[in-house]
Amino acid sequence: EYKGISQAHTNQNSYSSMRIHGQEELPEASNVDSYARWNIKGSVRAGFKKRRCTIAIIIVFCILAVGLGVGIPLSSTGGGTDPPTMEDTNVPSLAPTVAPIDLKPCFSADASITPSEQFETIRSSLISQNISDEALFDEPFSPQRKALCWVADADQKSTNEIQWTQRYILAVIFNELETPENKFESSTRLEVSVTECALDGITCAEDDITITQIKFDDEDFEGNLPREIGGLVELRVLDLSSNEDVTGTIPNEFGNLVSLTTLNLKNLNLQGSLPSTLGQLTNLEFMILAFNDLVGPIPDEYANLVNLVEVDIDNNRLSGSVGHIVNQWTSIENLNMGLNRFNGTILDDL
């Protein structure tokens, strides 16, 4: 297309001349055919110019498209400065895991396995405190063996004698008394990284270390009442009531619980006689032993329990004379001794 024709001379057969503003002067043509040829040539040149412009524009767009295509992935995988997307925040992070320690070789007391130094240290400590019968530490799969293996080789909180003693005793309780489908080794009740003071049913002193109270009532426990509980010498409350499948006798070691103020063993399935060692619990205020199968007389040593406020020993098979003992319980407020086999009189003594 040519603009600004300044002058044109035409006739039937020819054009005299043509001038274009801003372009080169067109040559004169003698006839229409020669001008047509020039016009075609000019059109072709203009078409090439247009095509070159179009190609240049396409190339520019291609470069921009390639640049954007490369730039977007690079920005998303760059130096980590971009904020996380919604999808990123919903993807859970994988925390490093530590494979659990296989304690079964230790449980089995395999003679080919050399015990760890920690194992030997804790074993010696428990023996010196007379917490357990030493022979039970070497009995394969005994509650005591499994508890010792766990405390020594898996537990992360047994860093001193108080803690490993308490955690060992709790481990024995769970190994001995929990039902077969919920035994200690598969239970989450006592965790290797959780302090015993955080357990349900456990109360500790202000130091957050020393256990002062155990309330495991109505837990569906079964098995023999473990003597190891007597090693918790700072215990003030022991409540294992309403566990009807707990059997055995009241251990003599319970006499070591000299800080105890409450002993509640009601509604278990205990047999045998009352241990005379309970007469050492001079701080005892509540002695609840009803609904068991205890037999024999009340030991004379129980006359020392002068701080008793409540005694409930009904529904047993206790026997003998009790007047001279009850007469010493000068702080007594509630006394229930029915459904036993006592004889003699107590009214005069009371």
Side-chain angles (χ1 to χ4, degrees):
E1 181 180 356
Y2 297 91
K3 297 180 180 180
I5 300 176
S6 63
Q7 182 179 0
H9 300 283
T10 62
N11 56 38
Q12 183 178 1
N13 296 318
S14 64
Y15 293 90
S16 62
S17 64
M18 182 179 290
R19 187 174 297 279
I20 302 172
H21 292 290
Q23 301 289 339
E24 63 177 341
E25 186 178 354
L26 300 178
E28 293 183 356
S30 61
N31 53 47
V32 175
D33 291 338
S34 61
Y35 177 75
R37 285 195 300 271
W38 180 91
N39 192 36
I40 291 171
K41 185 176 180 181
S43 299
V44 170
R45 289 177 180 175
F48 280 139
K49 289 181 180 180
K50 289 182 180 180
R51 194 175 302 166
R52 284 196 297 269
C53 290
T54 303
I55 293 172
I57 291 172
I58 292 173
I59 291 173
V60 170
F61 275 112
C62 290
I63 293 173
L64 290 175
V66 171
L68 290 173
V70 173
I72 291 173
L74 287 177
S75 65
S76 63
T77 60
T81 58
D82 293 335
T85 63
M86 182 63 69
E87 289 79 4
D88 293 335
T89 58
N90 290 333
V91 176
S93 60
L94 296 178
T97 58
V98 179
I101 298 175
D102 183 9
L103 295 175
K104 289 183 179 179
C106 183
F107 290 168
S108 65
D110 189 340
S112 64
I113 298 177
T114 302
S116 66
E117 181 179 350
Q118 179 80 340
F119 182 97
E120 293 294 354
T121 298
I122 295 176
R123 184 178 188 274
S124 298
S125 170
L126 296 173
I127 291 173
S128 66
Q129 297 178 74
N130 195 29
I131 301 297
S132 295
D133 184 351
E134 182 177 354
L136 294 175
F137 289 137
D138 300 320
E139 183 179 315
F141 295 99
S142 69
Q144 291 75 15
R145 176 74 186 190
K146 290 194 288 185
L148 176 57
C149 291
W150 179 81
V151 169
D153 297 335
D155 188 26
Q156 300 172 11
K157 291 294 183 178
S158 297
T159 58
N160 56 61
E161 188 172 62
I162 292 176
Q163 288 182 310
W164 72 52
T165 299
Q166 291 185 157
R167 292 171 75 80
Y168 166 79
I169 292 170
L170 290 174
V172 170
I173 292 174
F174 297 142
N175 269 290
E176 182 69 60
L177 297 182
E178 284 199 336
T179 54
E181 63 272 14
N182 193 31
K183 281 296 184 184
F184 164 74
E185 58 266 28
S186 61
S187 172
T188 58
R189 189 159 188 170
L190 188 58
E191 295 279 0
V192 297
S193 59
V194 177
T195 174
E196 59 271 32
C197 295
L199 297 178
D200 289 341
I202 299 291
T203 301
C204 290
E206 293 182 356
D207 60 4
D208 287 329
I209 296 176
T210 308
I211 295 177
T212 58
Q213 179 172 304
I214 291 180
K215 286 181 64 64
F216 290 158
D217 55 306
D218 199 15
E219 292 278 356
D220 293 326
F221 282 165
E222 63 179 43
N224 291 325
L225 197 60
R227 57 166 279 190
E228 283 77 8
I229 296 175
L232 299 171
V233 293
E234 299 296 329
L235 201 63
R236 296 178 183 177
V237 175
L238 176 60
D239 185 353
L240 300 175
S241 60
S242 299
N243 288 289
E244 295 90 342
D245 293 322
V246 172
T247 60
T249 61
I250 299 175
N252 288 324
E253 288 75 13
F254 279 21
N256 297 328
L257 303 175
V258 293
S259 298
L260 205 64
T261 60
T262 299
L263 176 62
N264 189 348
L265 303 178
K266 182 178 181 178
N267 199 25
L268 306 184
N269 191 21
L270 300 176
Q271 297 92 33
S273 58
L274 293 171
S276 60
T277 54
L278 293 187
Q280 303 171 35
L281 308 182
T282 54
N283 291 306
L284 199 60
E285 298 177 4
F286 302 90
M287 184 171 67
I288 316 298
L289 306 175
F291 293 92
N292 281 285
D293 193 25
L294 300 171
V295 299
I298 296 178
D300 291 343
E301 288 81 359
Y302 284 32
N304 298 325
L305 306 180
V306 296
N307 290 309
L308 282 173
V309 174
E310 180 176 345
V311 173
D312 186 358
I313 55 176
D314 73 318
N315 275 277
N316 282 284
R317 292 190 292 150
L318 297 171
S319 59
S321 176
V322 295
H324 63 292
I325 296 172
V326 173
N327 189 51
Q328 302 301 314
W329 297 344
T330 55
S331 299
I332 200 74
E333 296 179 6
N334 297 301
L335 178 62
N336 188 353
M337 304 175 67
L339 298 176
N340 280 287
R341 301 177 179 179
F342 295 120
N343 55 41
T345 61
I346 60 172
L347 293 180
D348 292 341
D349 293 328
L350 287 176

